[in-house]
């Protein structure tokens, strides 16, 4: 009887451990409520300061989160600097001399650790919250960010080169790219709507405006050529839509008029699978806001490190 009781004890213990592990692996909006209740307010304060100083920074912080999640999942790997053992994702083609906002993340990390009194908030979670706060500051919707991610101890430059969507992709390639991340056609269109914010370098749309095709408005291409010559000017900036510091539906309006700046933008209004979505979001900003919230939460759930996996970095730029 004693041995049977002991077996039941072991079975119960195993079941309890499985439940505990499953619970600890879930992200939750209330993750920091007890361990550091001032964490989210502190992140918001630093993001507000940064965006008030430079409105463009909001789009940059949102983009950092996006580019992080598409490589190894949302694990803060994009923040790691180059070392003898780490090939930094910062040096991958989609990121090099392009992604920005690292100093803002450093500032957030410093301030959060100060109010928490210890290293308890991950860099990956900081990216997710800063992205949300940036959207809200620029007039967009809010959502409850699910938290509890841990930081990776590795970076993957090769994956960054292949997994981050390219501005030169056509619709089938974009759909497949998002499918590889567990995201569908609606996620593709609604998350691309983040291009209602920010700027693009001339290099990324030069061929499009200098090669007249049926998918670009001629007058729009002509205006863009004024600041983006065929030779040189690769780092010159152009707004992705007419209101680069305001979260609205102008991006989708432009696609209907063949005024998408990037090939990958206009590709969304080139096929039956996504045309209806573009028209829907152009006509109804409420639908765009609602779906954007859902897709941001879904993207933020891509392969997070939780439980005992990964670490909480003391410095977002390097492994502990």
């Amino acid at each position: 009887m004693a041995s049977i009781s002991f077996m039941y004890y072991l079975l119960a213990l195993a079941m309890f451990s499985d439940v505990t592990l499953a619970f600890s692996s879930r992200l939750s909006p209330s993750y920091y409520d007890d361990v550091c209740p001032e964490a989210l307010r502190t992140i918001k304060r630093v993001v507000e300061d940064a965006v008030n100083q430079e409105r463009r920074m909001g789009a940059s912080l949102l983009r950092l989160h996006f580019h992080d999640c598409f490589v190894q999942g949302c694990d803060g790997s994009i923040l790691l600097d180059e070392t003898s053992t780490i090939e930094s994702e910062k040096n991958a083609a989609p990121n090099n001399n392009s992604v920005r906002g690292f100093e803002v993340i450093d500032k957030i990390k410093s301030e959060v650790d100060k109010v928490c009194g210890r290293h308890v908030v991950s860099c990956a979670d900081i990216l997710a919250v800063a992205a949300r706060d940036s959207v809200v500051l620029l007039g967009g919707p809010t959502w409850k960010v699910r938290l509890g991610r841990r930081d990776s101890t590795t970076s993957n430059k090769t994956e960054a080169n292949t997994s981050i969507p390219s501005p030169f992709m056509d619709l089938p390639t974009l759909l497949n790219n998002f499918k590889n991340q567990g995201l569908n056609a609606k996620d593709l269109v609604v998350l691309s709507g983040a291009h209602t914010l920010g700027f693009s370098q001339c290099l990324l749309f030069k061929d499009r405006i200098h090669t007249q095709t049926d998918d670009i408005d001629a007058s729009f291409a002509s205006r863009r050529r004024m600041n983006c010559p065929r030779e040189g000017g690769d780092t010159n900036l152009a707004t992705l839509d007419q209101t680069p510091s305001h979260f609205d539906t102008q991006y989708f309006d432009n696609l209907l008029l063949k005024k998408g700046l990037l090939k990958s933008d206009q590709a969304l209004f080139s096929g039956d699978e996504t045309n209806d979505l573009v028209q829907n979001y152009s006509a109804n900003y409420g639908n765009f806001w609602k779906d954007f919230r859902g897709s941001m939460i879904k993207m933020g759930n891509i392969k997070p490190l939780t439980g005992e996996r990964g670490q909480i970095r003391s410095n977002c730029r390097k492994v502990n």
Side-chain angles (χ1 to χ4, degrees):
M1 290 292 291
S3 61
I4 294 176
S5 298
F6 184 67
M7 288 174 61
Y8 275 114
Y9 168 76
L10 290 178
L11 179 61
L13 183 63
M15 291 175 65
F16 177 78
S17 299
D18 287 344
V19 170
T20 302
L21 182 60
F23 180 78
S24 67
S25 67
R26 295 191 193 125
L27 303 181
S28 167
S30 60
Y31 186 84
Y32 294 109
D33 286 2
D34 294 327
V35 294
C36 187
E38 291 299 313
L40 299 192
R41 282 189 286 270
T42 302
I43 295 173
K44 181 180 179 182
R45 173 174 56 80
V46 179
V47 171
E48 283 180 342
D49 289 344
V51 174
N52 286 336
Q53 290 179 38
E54 182 193 3
R55 302 291 283 177
R56 180 187 170 200
M57 185 55 68
S60 298
L61 293 174
L62 175 58
R63 187 164 177 250
L64 265 182
H65 179 46
F66 185 96
H67 281 217
D68 180 46
C69 289
F70 267 62
V71 183
Q72 299 187 162
C74 308
D75 62 358
S77 60
I78 194 172
L79 303 174
L80 290 171
D81 284 341
E82 187 90 8
T83 70
S84 59
T85 58
I86 289 178
E87 284 192 298
S88 176
E89 293 166 23
K90 296 177 182 180
N91 297 326
N95 297 329
N96 191 29
N97 297 318
S98 177
V99 289
R100 56 198 295 273
F102 299 107
E103 294 80 7
V104 177
I105 301 301
D106 292 340
K107 175 69 172 176
I108 294 172
K109 178 63 174 171
S110 174
E111 293 297 308
V112 166
D113 284 355
K114 191 182 303 180
V115 300
C116 296
R118 54 189 173 130
H119 306 304
V120 67
V121 181
S122 70
C123 301
D125 275 350
I126 287 173
L127 286 175
V129 177
R132 187 273 310 277
D133 290 347
S134 294
V135 169
V136 174
L137 283 168
L138 297 177
T142 189
W143 60 93
K144 291 185 177 180
V145 179
R146 297 177 184 175
L147 302 163
R149 301 168 189 81
R150 288 166 65 84
D151 300 319
S152 70
T153 57
T154 62
S155 184
N156 196 323
K157 179 181 175 182
T158 299
E159 187 175 334
N161 279 322
T162 57
S163 295
I164 296 173
S166 162
F168 309 109
M169 286 181 174
D170 59 16
L171 182 59
T173 309
L174 285 166
L175 288 167
N176 188 63
N177 178 277
F178 272 63
K179 181 180 178 181
N180 290 339
Q181 301 292 345
L183 302 172
N184 58 29
K186 185 173 78 170
D187 298 317
L188 165 63
V189 176
V190 76
L191 291 174
S192 295
H195 282 180
T196 184
L197 302 174
F199 298 74
S200 175
Q201 294 185 13
C202 170
L203 175 66
L204 302 180
F205 60 87
K206 178 178 291 190
D207 287 346
R208 174 165 165 73
I209 63 173
H210 285 281
T211 304
Q212 188 63 49
T213 60
D214 292 338
D215 71 340
I216 187 168
D217 177 80
S219 61
F220 171 74
S222 178
R223 289 193 301 273
R224 293 280 72 81
R225 288 196 292 269
M226 295 173 64
N227 190 49
C228 184
R230 185 178 291 276
E231 301 295 333
D234 287 355
T235 59
N236 292 352
L237 296 176
T239 61
L240 286 161
D241 75 9
Q242 298 93 309
T243 54
S245 296
H246 187 64
F247 194 94
D248 55 25
T249 59
Q250 185 64 58
Y251 169 82
F252 297 109
D253 297 343
N254 287 354
L255 300 188
L256 299 181
L257 300 172
K258 297 184 179 182
K259 295 180 180 180
L261 185 64
L262 306 177
K263 177 180 178 179
S264 58
D265 290 331
Q266 194 59 53
L268 303 180
F269 197 64
S270 64
D272 293 339
E273 190 164 359
T274 54
N275 281 4
D276 288 348
L277 287 165
V278 172
Q279 291 172 322
N280 179 12
Y281 297 141
S282 173
N284 192 321
Y285 74 87
N287 287 346
F288 175 42
W289 278 33
K290 174 176 67 68
D291 290 347
F292 190 81
R293 291 187 192 106
S295 289
M296 285 298 294
I297 292 171
K298 187 175 178 181
M299 184 186 77
N301 285 343
I302 297 175
K303 295 181 287 188
L305 298 174
T306 56
E308 296 301 314
R309 297 182 299 157
Q311 61 180 214
I312 306 297
R313 290 191 216 129
S314 58
N315 181 335
C316 289
R317 293 175 180 262
K318 59 183 182 180
V319 174
N320 293 345

